[in-house]
C-alpha cells in the first residue's frame, strides 16, 4: 500500500479573471502593402484583417505579459502573492533559457511561484489552461496564472505575400482557481506531427552559426533574412476547417452539452473564413456570440483566445457565467479545445 498522502486540491477549477494588453501602435493594411503586391480588399477578403497591433521597443514579451496579468489578477480579486504557478505560452521569447515565466512571476510579486514556458503555438493557451486546471484540482497550486503572449512582428517576413499581413502582437492572461462546480470541461487535445511542415520557422537558429550567408535567404536589399513564420495557407485552411470542427464537436460532447447550450464561441483568431466555416459546420445557433477579434488584432497565436475573451467581456457581447467553447490550433500541428464558464 502506498504511503503517499492523497492530494488536497479543489473539487473543480474555473477561470476567475481575464486581462489583455494590445500594443499602442495600430498598423493598417496600407503599411503591409508597402512591401507586398496585394490590396486592402484582398487582405480583408482572405483573412478579415483590417488592422493589427505591433509592439514598440519597450513592449517586450515580459512587459506585455505583466500588463495583461495585472488586469487578470485585478479582475479575479487575487493578489499576486497568492499565485502558485505561472504558465506562459509563447514562441517569440528569443532567449532559450531561462523561461520568461520566471521574470514575469518576479515582476508581478509572486511568492516564489513555480514558473515555466510552453511552446504549443496557437494552441498554447488551451494547453496552459489544461495544465492549470490539473494543478488546482491536484492541489499543487491554489491559483494559477496562464498567459498567452506573442511579438509575432519579430517573426514576420514583410516580403512574404502569404503571411506578411497575418500576424500581430499582444498578451492575454487568465487566473485559474478553485471552484465548487465544473467550470472547465475536459480538454480534447492532440497533435499531427506528420503535417508539421505546413506551419514552421523558415530558418533554424543554428543556421546562423555556419557563417556562410550564401546558405541563408536574403531580402530584396541583399540582407540576410531573420527567421520568420511561414505556412502553406491552403493546407492549413483545409485542416482547420474540416478537422478542427470535429475536435470542437468532441469538446462539446465531452462537456455534455450541445451547440444550443452554448452562449459564446471563441476560436483561435487565425482567419475569419476559418471561423465562419467552423460556425457553419458546427451548426451554431444565431444566439451564439462568435469572437472575430482578428479584424482589429490580427493573428496573435497563443494570445488570441484570451485577448478575444477579454474584449467580448469588456464590450458586453459576452457576460460572466456564459458558457463558451474555446479552441486553439496551429503549428505542430497541435490543437486543444474545451468548454468553459466565463469569469
Amino acid at each position: 500500500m502506498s504511503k503517499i498522502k492523497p492530494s488536497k486540491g479543489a473539487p473543480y477549477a474555473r477561470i476567475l479573471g481575464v486581462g489583455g494588453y494590445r500594443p499602442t501602435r495600430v498598423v493598417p493594411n496600407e503599411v503591409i502593402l508597402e512591401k507586398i503586391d496585394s490590396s486592402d480588399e484582398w487582405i480583408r477578403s482572405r483573412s478579415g484583417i483590417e488592422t493589427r497591433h505591433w509592439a514598440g521597443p519597450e513592449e517586450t514579451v515580459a512587459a506585455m505579459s505583466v500588463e495583461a496579468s495585472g488586469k487578470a489578477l485585478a479582475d479575479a480579486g487575487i493578489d499576486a502573492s497568492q499565485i502558485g504557478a505561472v504558465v506562459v505560452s509563447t514562441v517569440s521569447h528569443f532567449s532559450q533559457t531561462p523561461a520568461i515565466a520566471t521574470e514575469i512571476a518576479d515582476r508581478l510579486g509572486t511568492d516564489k511561484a513555480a514558473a515555466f514556458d510552453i511552446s504549443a503555438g496557437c494552441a498554447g493557451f488551451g494547453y496552459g489552461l489544461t495544465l492549470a486546471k490539473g494543478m488546482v484540482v491536484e492541489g499543487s497550486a491554489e491559483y494559477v496564472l496562464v498567459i498567452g503572449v506573442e511579438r509575432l512582428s519579430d517573426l514576420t517576413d514583410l516580403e512574404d505575400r502569404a503571411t506578411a499581413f497575418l500576424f500581430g502582437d499582444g498578451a492575454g492572461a487568465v487566473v485559474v482557481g478553485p471552484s465548487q462546480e465544473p467550470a472547465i470541461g475536459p480538454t480534447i487535445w492532440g497533435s499531427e506531427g506528420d503535417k508539421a511542415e505546413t506551419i514552421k520557422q523558415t530558418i533554424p537558429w543554428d543556421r546562423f552559426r555556419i557563417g556562410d550567408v550564401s546558405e541563408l535567404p536574403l531580402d530584396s536589399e541583399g540582407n540576410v533574412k531573420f527567421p520568420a513564420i511561414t505556412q502553406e495557407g491552403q493546407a492549413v485552411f483545409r485542416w482547420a476547417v474540416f478537422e478542427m470542427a470535429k475536435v470542437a464537436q468532441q469538446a462539446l460532447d465531452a462537456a455534455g452539452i450541445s451547440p444550443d447550450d452554448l452562449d459564446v464561441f471563441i476560436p483561435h483568431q487565425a482567419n475569419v473564413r476559418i471561423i465562419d466555416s467552423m460556425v457553419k459546420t458546427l451548426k451554431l445557433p444565431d444566439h451564439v456570440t462568435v469572437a472575430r477579434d482578428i479584424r482589429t488584432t490580427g493573428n496573435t497565436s497563443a494570445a488570441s483566445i484570451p485577448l478575444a475573451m477579454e474584449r467580448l467581456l469588456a464590450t458586453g457581447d459576452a457576460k460572466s457565467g456564459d458558457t463558451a467553447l474555446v479552441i486553439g490550433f496551429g503549428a505542430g500541428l497541435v490543437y486543444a479545445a474545451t468548454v468553459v464558464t466565463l469569469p
Side-chain angles (χ1 to χ4, degrees):
M1 180 179 292
S2 174
K3 298 179 180 179
I4 300 173
K5 294 181 180 180
S7 300
K8 295 182 179 180
Y12 305 103
R14 69 182 303 117
I15 299 174
L16 299 172
V18 59
Y21 179 83
R22 293 172 174 80
T24 56
R25 182 187 177 192
V26 177
V27 180
N29 289 336
E30 286 72 21
V31 171
I32 306 298
L33 296 173
E34 293 173 4
K35 292 196 174 183
I36 61 171
D37 180 19
S38 187
S39 68
D40 177 61
E41 190 280 330
W42 186 89
I43 293 174
R44 291 179 185 234
S45 65
R46 299 290 290 182
S47 68
I49 299 174
E50 302 166 10
T51 60
R52 73 283 293 147
H53 294 255
W54 282 357
E58 302 302 317
E59 293 169 313
T60 63
V61 167
M64 292 191 294
S65 297
V66 169
E67 289 291 331
S69 299
K71 294 176 183 178
L73 288 166
D75 190 42
I78 298 298
D79 187 84
S81 62
Q82 296 175 266
I83 295 295
V86 177
V87 183
V88 177
S89 178
T90 185
V91 298
S92 47
H93 170 55
F94 295 145
S95 292
Q96 193 71 32
T97 192
I100 194 62
T102 58
E103 177 182 340
I104 295 167
D106 179 65
R107 288 176 60 172
L108 287 170
T110 67
D111 184 15
K112 300 180 181 179
F116 58 94
D117 299 349
I118 58 175
S119 177
C122 305
F125 176 75
Y127 275 50
L129 186 64
T130 303
L131 294 173
K133 172 187 174 183
M135 283 185 263
V136 172
V137 172
E138 187 270 339
S140 58
E142 185 176 11
Y143 299 102
V144 181
L145 184 64
V146 180
I147 303 166
V149 56
E150 302 292 1
R151 271 183 58 119
L152 294 182
S153 58
D154 292 336
L155 287 168
T156 299
D157 180 353
L158 293 177
E159 296 180 347
D160 180 0
R161 187 175 184 272
T163 61
F165 59 90
L166 285 175
F167 302 119
D169 303 336
V174 298
V175 175
V176 177
S179 173
Q180 293 303 308
E181 59 184 15
I184 301 176
T187 299
I188 305 300
W189 57 354
S191 65
E192 297 186 33
D194 60 317
K195 301 179 180 65
E197 291 296 305
T198 56
I199 306 175
K200 63 180 183 180
Q201 182 174 306
T202 52
I203 314 165
W205 298 113
D206 61 4
R207 287 284 299 278
F208 287 90
R209 296 171 59 184
I210 299 172
D212 183 357
V213 296
S214 65
E215 297 296 323
L216 298 172
L218 305 178
D219 63 21
S220 58
E221 298 178 355
N223 301 311
V224 174
K225 285 187 175 184
F226 192 73
I229 298 174
T230 185
Q231 69 176 26
E232 298 173 15
Q234 287 302 313
V236 173
F237 181 87
R238 288 193 297 271
W239 175 77
V241 168
F242 296 108
E243 298 304 320
M244 291 305 96
K246 298 176 186 177
V247 171
Q249 183 60 58
Q250 290 171 15
L252 291 173
D253 294 341
I257 67 173
S258 72
D260 289 337
D261 298 315
L262 276 181
D263 300 303
V264 185
F265 179 43
I266 311 177
H268 164 50
Q269 301 295 291
N271 182 303
V272 164
R273 293 194 302 146
I274 291 175
I275 294 171
D276 291 344
S277 294
M278 292 181 70
V279 169
K280 182 177 180 181
T281 301
L282 289 168
K283 299 179 180 178
L284 297 185
D286 291 340
H287 75 261
V288 176
T289 297
V290 180
R292 293 185 176 86
D293 190 47
I294 189 173
R295 297 189 187 279
T296 56
T297 306
N299 180 342
T300 56
S301 189
S304 77
I305 290 176
L307 278 174
M309 182 184 296
E310 185 258 356
R311 174 160 282 173
L312 288 175
L313 289 167
T315 59
D317 292 318
K319 62 183 186 300
S320 175
D322 278 353
T323 300
L325 168 64
V326 299
I327 178 170
F329 45 86
L333 294 170
V334 294
Y335 54 87
T338 188
V339 175
V340 303
T341 301
L342 295 182

